[in-house]
Amino acid sequence: MDDLKSKWLGLIGEAADEATLEDLRVQAVGKKGEVSLKMRELGKMTPEERQTAGPALNALKDEINSALAAKKTALADAALDERLKAEWLDVTLPARDRRVGTIHPVSQVWEECTAIFADMGFAVAEGPQVETDWYNFDALNIPGHHPARAEMDTFYMHRAEGDNRPPHVLRTHTSPVQIRAMEAGGAPTRIICPGRVYRADYDQTHTPMFHQVEGLAIDRDISMANLKWVLEEFFSAYFGTKVKTRFRASHFPFTEPSAEVDIQCSWEGGTVKVGEGDDWLEVLGSGMVHPKVLQAGGVDPSEWQGFAFGMGIDRIAMLKYGIPDLRAFFDSDLRWLRHYGFSALQVPTLRGGV
Ligand code: 2U9
């Protein structure tokens, strides 16, 4: 028995890792281990022999189990010491750079416009950016020979020879969305259509892709007076100060009568201030929807009438933030955004600071 004891306690003492220790446990006190086999032999012994061998084997088993547990703890402690020695952290290293981003000013203004018009009961309508020339031109009273088609510097989609589908264009305004909305929902209606539009033009105040928000209100007795109220409400909310508007007679194929709308402003030292002074700044086009356009949208012009307007989101964003070159919106980086006061992770400010 003493031989057994010194053999197993010796081996346990020398074990270098947990796997060896587990092997030793199985070989010594496992089901078919040496000590367990010896215990099975107790049955063959005389009662006298059993009386001394039984307790001695039990004591040996307990001692081996205790030695296994103690060695296991010692091995774990040693492993932890090794790790603590090997792994360390230099808390004096500089921190990693944070990735910064911000919601683009045009997106902020887009959302702000949507929120202001929503307050006045306008729902948002959206539509495709690739349109048929019927929705983009004909339905808006701009037939094939009309000079406005050429003026709009339209991007035409490529058509393979033998492709008989109607010509498709990148929409030059969001007006086709209103035609589709009238077709789908009829009258009365009150919608705005914010979205991307495309024209082949590039200079300080034009980019080939820009953003518009157009509005349409149709009912039985809508007038230009309603249009003026809606626009003054909008500009006052957007610029955060009472803004007067001036309507000048104009011409668009899709509205009759038509008006270009200016907002009150002042020029001081080369910067424009909206809502004060004696100057005027042109910001949008508008008018009463032409009967032919109502008809194209499936709305009966003898029963319904309405106003429509269109403005450039980028343009009113430039005005609010004093940005002189439209191109800066689309090929600039965060340094430029910070210069104009757009901080990282800024969320759009809705009306009333909501
Ligand atoms: C329907 C009927 C009429 C929308 C209108 C304008 C006048 C206009 C320009 C402003 C600056 C485009 O972004 S811009 O270059 N827009 O002058 N837009 S009336 O008239 C509509 C629209 C849809 C069914």
Side-chain angles (χ1 to χ4, degrees):
M1 203 68 75
D2 283 348
D3 287 351
L4 268 186
K5 180 175 162 181
S6 59
K7 170 184 160 187
W8 288 114
L9 294 190
L11 286 170
I12 289 168
E14 282 160 22
D17 53 51
E18 275 203 43
T20 315
L21 207 57
E22 176 59 12
D23 280 347
L24 291 173
R25 188 191 66 76
V26 172
Q27 289 168 36
V29 294
K31 257 188 186 170
K32 291 179 182 166
E34 195 173 7
V35 178
S36 311
L37 292 177
K38 285 251 181 279
M39 281 176 148
R40 273 188 223 163
E41 286 167 15
L42 287 172
K44 296 177 204 152
M45 293 181 188
T46 63
E48 292 77 31
E49 281 173 334
R50 209 180 299 139
Q51 226 163 19
T52 49
L57 277 171
N58 272 331
L60 176 61
K61 191 176 174 186
D62 288 348
E63 263 188 281
I64 290 174
N65 276 330
S66 306
L68 284 166
K71 185 69 183 180
K72 193 171 176 179
T73 311
L75 283 175
D77 287 350
L80 183 61
D81 281 347
E82 276 305 304
R83 269 189 65 193
L84 288 173
K85 260 187 254 160
E87 294 176 14
W88 57 281
L89 189 68
D90 184 355
V91 291
T92 65
L93 281 175
R96 284 195 196 96
D97 271 352
R98 255 196 321 149
R99 289 170 73 93
V100 284
T102 172
I103 294 171
H104 195 280
V106 170
S107 304
Q108 294 187 34
V109 171
W110 176 323
E111 294 202 19
E112 207 178 342
C113 290
T114 307
I116 296 169
F117 282 114
D119 267 3
M120 291 189 270
F122 286 81
V124 171
E126 287 180 315
Q129 295 183 41
V130 176
E131 270 292 3
T132 62
D133 62 350
W134 189 84
Y135 276 107
N136 195 77
F137 293 123
D138 301 80
L140 287 145
N141 195 29
I142 313 174
H145 61 267
H146 200 287
R149 277 214 193 197
E151 278 163 24
M152 279 193 183
D153 300 313
T154 315
F155 287 112
Y156 281 83
M157 306 302 287
H158 173 73
R159 267 198 312 176
E161 217 165 297
D163 184 343
N164 291 324
R165 287 176 299 176
H168 280 68
V169 299
L170 288 181
R171 68 181 183 196
T172 56
H173 43 191
T174 58
S175 316
V177 181
Q178 279 113 297
I179 300 289
R180 289 176 180 277
M182 282 194 283
E183 279 179 340
T189 190
R190 221 187 288 184
I191 51 169
I192 57 154
C193 304
R196 290 166 188 253
V197 299
Y198 303 85
R199 294 183 194 180
D201 214 351
Y202 192 60
D203 60 32
Q204 195 172 338
T205 51
H206 298 89
T207 49
M209 184 279 298
F210 63 105
H211 303 82
Q212 278 188 340
V213 58
E214 291 196 346
L216 176 74
I218 298 176
D219 213 318
R220 293 184 192 279
D221 54 5
I222 293 267
S223 72
M224 297 278 279
N226 301 126
L227 170 65
K228 188 167 170 79
W229 182 86
V230 164
L231 292 178
E232 287 190 352
E233 279 291 298
F234 169 74
F235 285 115
S236 300
Y238 177 71
F239 288 106
T241 178
K242 179 91 192 111
V243 178
K244 284 189 195 150
T245 60
R246 183 176 74 171
F247 280 50
R248 278 180 293 105
S250 184
H251 174 266
F252 304 109
F254 24 85
T255 46
E256 183 58 41
S258 304
E260 279 171 315
V261 179
D262 306 334
I263 52 175
Q264 178 198 8
C265 73
S266 72
W267 288 97
E268 259 172 41
T271 54
V272 65
K273 281 206 182 119
V274 173
E276 59 169 56
D278 303 322
D279 272 327
W280 297 97
L281 193 71
E282 185 189 326
V283 279
L284 61 77
S286 65
M288 297 301 289
V289 181
H290 196 291
K292 281 190 183 170
V293 174
L294 290 173
Q295 227 151 17
V299 167
D300 182 357
S302 68
E303 210 180 323
W304 306 98
Q305 60 186 33
F307 67 68
F309 61 84
M311 68 182 135
I313 294 179
D314 323 76
R315 174 147 166 68
I316 62 164
M318 288 168 78
L319 269 179
K320 186 160 174 169
Y321 298 106
I323 297 162
D325 190 329
L326 183 61
R327 291 168 294 194
F329 271 139
F330 306 116
D331 50 19
S332 296
D333 62 11
L334 273 173
R335 279 168 300 181
W336 170 82
L337 287 170
R338 286 202 199 97
H339 173 78
Y340 284 103
F342 295 95
S343 63
L345 307 176
Q346 188 172 9
V347 290
T349 335
L350 299 183
R351 200 181 181 187
V354 176

